[in-house]
């Protein structure tokens, strides 16, 4: 039977050179997805899981796995209806894979009975072989009673919203009337958004380059383009030459917010610290916006492997910064040694957080994160703010941001910092950016931001 449109999109993502070869069987992809799901449930990230998938299978497996993760709450609830006793992990992962992909026929990448048939085939050929009959019985019953089973799960908040129950409850508390929209946005497919390198091209010029390869794009922000459809970065015109980078519209607000209205010092470069810099997108954006004005940027990253990614980003874009592998919360270990004890004019702190605002891009996060993690992350954020604030020049500014929609990592964190520091005052900034709301009345800094991730921004000025 002809595959659904989503299945066709999966085929479009096959690696270069694959066309003309025999496509992998659907059961193979489902088996790989189930194996990946089992690993994620056990605590691995989707990135590490996908790195282990054979390159030939990876594009299709990633697309299917992300769809499964976005529908996992419903799949788990349906599995409880079909199998009250929790089956072994590998069996549960395969059942949830099939149920997540097939419960909603409109979103199913293939007809539900095709998915069920291929899931049973995967069971017969894999570690669930001994339970293949059980898998078959559960999924055949699902096909017979699908609507009744779905109706029976409607009262389960995890099934209804496909987020953990604690996540749903916290958003209801934090964001009142907008909590439903945030959850819906977290289950949507994100757009691909680009940031043009203003040193090398313009929005109009790059739009023309995209149009030449039949890619439509709309302008978002001052340097952003949102694509009508995603494509591999290798196919972006001039990507290798540094004309463009991939960066969500919300993240593109950071560098302009920090630099807008700043007076450049006379006789020396503007000194800027990007405190948690990997993979280097915001570092690069700062340098791009500086243009011909002198700027020295220190890009700090605690993880050596991630710091190497900053070097790669800067090299591709033809930019230079001083990259340090160090803990931003412990300036005594690096500030005097590497920065000669000279205070910064501006500091960008994109702090470690729950990543709850980018869950549509990293759908595994919602199932890996625990509510208790928020307390630990808030403590780290406070340590970073307190450690970096003394490194800022009087009359300097610090931009605090997180890709989180939880207030404990945003507004609450800001208020606690202001309570501890009488010399700090706030400058205009978006606050909490809510996905799906594109107007200033709801906290979005610029209604040209388009379809953006969830973020929090606070801009702090240091009084003399």
């Amino acid at each position: 039977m002809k595959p659904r449109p989503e299945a066709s999109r999966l085929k479009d993502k096959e690696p270069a050179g694959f066309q003309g070869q025999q496509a992998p069987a659907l059961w193979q992809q489902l088996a790989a997805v189930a194996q990946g799901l089992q690993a994620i449930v056990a605590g691995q990230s989707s990135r590490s899981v996908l790195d282990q998938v054979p390159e030939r299978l990876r594009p299709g497996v990633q697309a299917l796995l992300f769809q499964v993760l976005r529908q996992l709450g419903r799949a788990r609830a349906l599995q409880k209806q079909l199998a009250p006793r929790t089956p072994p992990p590998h069996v549960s992962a395969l059942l949830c894979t099939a149920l997540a992909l097939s419960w909603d026929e409109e979103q199913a990448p293939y007809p539900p009975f095709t998915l069920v048939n291929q899931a049973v085939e995967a069971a017969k050929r894999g570690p669930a072989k001994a339970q293949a009959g059980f898998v078959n019985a559960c999924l055949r019953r699902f096909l017979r009673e699908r609507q009744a089973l779905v109706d029976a799960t409607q009262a389960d908040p995890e099934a209804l919203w496909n987020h953990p129950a604690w996540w749903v409850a916290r958003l209801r508390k934090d964001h009142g009337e907008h909590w439903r929209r945030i959850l819906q946005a977290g289950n949507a497919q994100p757009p691909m958004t680009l940031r043009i390198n203003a040193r090398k091209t313009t929005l109009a010029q790059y739009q023309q380059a995209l149009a030449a390869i039949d890619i439509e794009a709309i302008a978002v922000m001052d340097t952003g383009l949102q694509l009508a459809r995603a494509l591999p970065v290798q196919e972006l015109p001039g990507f290798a030459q540094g004309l463009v980078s991939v960066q969500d519209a919300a993240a593109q607000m950071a560098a302009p917010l920090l630099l807008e209205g700043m007076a450049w010092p006379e006789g020396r470069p503007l000194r800027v610290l990007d405190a948690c810099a990997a993979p280097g997108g915001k570092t690069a954006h700062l340098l791009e916006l500086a243009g011909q004005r002198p700027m020295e940027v220190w890009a700090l990253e605690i993880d050596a492997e991630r710091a190497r990614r900053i070097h790669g980003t800067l090299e591709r874009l033809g930019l230079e910064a001083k990259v340090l592998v160090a803990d931003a919360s412990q300036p005594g270990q690096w500030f005097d040694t590497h920065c000669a004890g000279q205070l910064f004019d501006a500091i960008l702190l994109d702090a470690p957080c729950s990543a709850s605002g980018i869950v549509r891009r990293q759908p595994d996060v919602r199932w890996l994160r625990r509510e208790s993690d928020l307390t630990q992350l808030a403590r780290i954020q406070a340590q970073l703010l307190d450690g970096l604030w003394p490194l800022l020049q009087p009359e300097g500014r610090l931009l605090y941001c997180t890709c989180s929609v939880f207030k404990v990592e945003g507004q609450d964190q800001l208020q606690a910092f202001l309570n501890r520091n009488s010399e700090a005052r706030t400058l205009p900034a978006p606050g909490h950016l809510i996905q799906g709301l594109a107007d200033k009345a709801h906290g979005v800094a610029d209604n040209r931001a388009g379809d953006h991730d969830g973020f929090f921004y606070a801009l702090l000025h240091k009084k003399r």
Side-chain angles (χ1 to χ4, degrees):
M1 181 171 289
K2 184 179 179 180
R4 300 297 173 86
E6 177 67 22
S8 299
R9 288 197 293 273
L10 298 185
K11 290 184 178 180
D12 290 341
K13 297 180 182 178
E14 289 169 357
F18 182 75
Q19 291 78 6
Q21 302 178 27
Q22 184 177 4
L26 180 56
W27 71 262
Q28 290 179 295
Q29 296 190 65
L30 295 178
V33 170
Q35 184 177 357
L37 177 61
Q38 184 181 347
I40 289 169
V41 170
Q44 290 189 42
S45 71
S46 60
R47 182 182 298 241
S48 63
V49 163
L50 290 167
D51 284 345
Q52 301 169 43
V53 175
E55 188 174 349
R56 179 172 176 269
L57 293 174
R58 194 174 301 155
V61 168
Q62 176 174 327
L64 291 171
L65 177 61
F66 278 20
Q67 187 170 348
V68 167
L69 291 167
R70 293 187 182 108
Q71 301 294 328
L72 186 57
R74 180 74 69 172
R76 284 174 164 173
L78 288 169
Q79 181 184 270
K80 289 179 183 177
Q81 295 290 321
L82 295 165
R85 295 179 61 182
T86 305
H90 60 286
V91 177
S92 176
L94 186 56
L95 282 172
C96 282
T97 293
L99 293 168
L101 294 173
S102 60
W103 81 269
D104 183 351
E105 192 166 11
E106 290 186 2
Q107 298 185 57
Y110 294 90
F113 71 85
T114 299
L115 288 162
V116 166
N117 287 341
Q118 292 297 294
V120 173
E121 188 66 22
K124 292 177 180 178
R125 295 172 179 255
K129 183 177 181 179
Q131 290 86 20
F134 171 74
V135 171
N136 184 59
C138 287
L139 294 180
R140 299 299 172 191
R141 180 190 165 198
F142 164 72
L143 288 179
R144 293 193 305 270
E145 305 173 23
R146 181 173 52 179
Q147 192 56 56
L149 290 166
V150 170
D151 291 344
T153 63
Q154 284 295 96
D156 185 337
E158 289 197 9
L160 192 59
W161 299 108
N162 285 297
H163 287 73
W166 70 262
W167 191 301
V168 176
R170 186 170 282 262
L171 285 180
R172 292 186 67 170
K173 177 183 176 183
D174 281 359
H175 294 291
E177 60 182 303
H178 301 315
W179 66 276
R180 294 180 182 85
R181 194 173 304 206
I182 296 172
L183 290 166
Q184 290 166 349
N187 288 326
Q189 294 229 2
M192 186 175 189
T193 305
L194 309 180
R195 184 192 78 241
I196 63 106
N197 184 349
R199 289 189 174 195
K200 296 187 175 184
T201 187
T202 67
L203 280 180
Q205 289 170 345
Y206 202 78
Q207 270 184 308
Q208 292 176 357
L210 291 172
I213 58 171
D214 296 324
I215 299 293
E216 295 181 10
I218 60 171
V220 292
M221 307 303 294
D222 292 328
T223 56
L225 289 170
Q226 187 173 294
L227 304 188
R229 62 179 176 88
L231 71 163
V233 293
Q234 297 85 354
E235 297 179 19
L236 292 171
F239 181 81
Q241 292 73 37
L243 266 63
V244 69
S245 299
V246 179
Q247 188 179 42
D248 182 76
Q252 289 188 41
M253 295 181 187
L257 271 170
L258 184 61
L259 297 181
E260 187 176 5
M262 282 205 72
W264 240 254
E266 292 187 13
R268 67 171 177 85
L270 188 76
R271 293 170 56 84
V272 182
L273 172 67
D274 187 352
C276 301
K282 296 181 180 68
T283 302
H285 198 189
L286 289 165
L287 291 162
E288 290 168 6
L289 291 180
Q292 300 305 312
R293 295 175 295 179
M295 177 189 286
E296 290 182 354
V297 177
W298 279 258
L300 209 64
E301 175 55 48
I302 193 171
D303 183 88
E305 180 61 34
R306 285 172 55 80
R308 280 191 280 273
R309 295 178 63 191
I310 303 175
H311 286 291
T313 297
L314 295 173
E315 183 179 356
R316 181 179 64 82
L317 295 169
L319 302 169
E320 292 184 4
K322 299 177 181 181
V323 181
L324 303 178
V325 178
D327 184 349
S329 69
Q330 302 294 326
Q333 299 176 3
W334 52 267
F335 180 59
D336 288 333
T337 305
H338 295 281
C339 305
Q342 298 181 32
L343 300 179
F344 295 102
D345 300 297
I347 296 175
L348 170 57
L349 173 56
D350 185 0
C353 70
S354 63
S356 54
I358 58 171
V359 71
R360 60 182 186 168
R361 298 186 187 278
Q362 299 178 13
D364 55 325
V365 166
R366 72 191 82 181
W367 307 115
L368 293 172
R369 192 69 68 206
R370 299 165 298 180
E371 188 170 17
S372 59
D373 294 340
L374 299 184
T375 302
Q376 181 181 359
L377 287 164
R379 187 181 304 116
I380 293 170
Q381 292 153 8
Q383 290 172 350
L384 286 164
L385 280 166
D386 290 342
L388 294 171
W389 186 248
L391 311 187
L392 188 64
Q393 292 267 15
E395 301 301 325
R397 56 175 64 175
L398 183 151
L399 180 66
Y400 170 74
C401 58
T402 61
C403 53
S404 172
V405 292
F406 295 132
K407 285 193 173 181
V408 68
E409 301 178 282
Q411 189 59 46
D412 294 348
Q413 186 70 260
L414 170 64
Q415 190 57 55
F417 179 79
L418 292 173
N419 292 341
R420 297 193 302 272
N421 294 274
S422 59
E423 78 278 18
R425 71 180 181 94
T426 57
L427 297 176
H432 283 282
L433 290 165
I434 305 302
Q435 307 102 304
L437 295 178
D439 61 85
K440 295 180 182 179
H442 293 116
V444 176
D446 192 322
N447 59 11
R448 295 172 299 153
D451 186 0
H452 58 78
D453 290 338
F455 248 81
F456 175 82
Y457 281 111
L459 185 59
L460 297 163
H461 173 258
K462 191 173 192 177
K463 297 183 288 186
R464 287 191 181 276

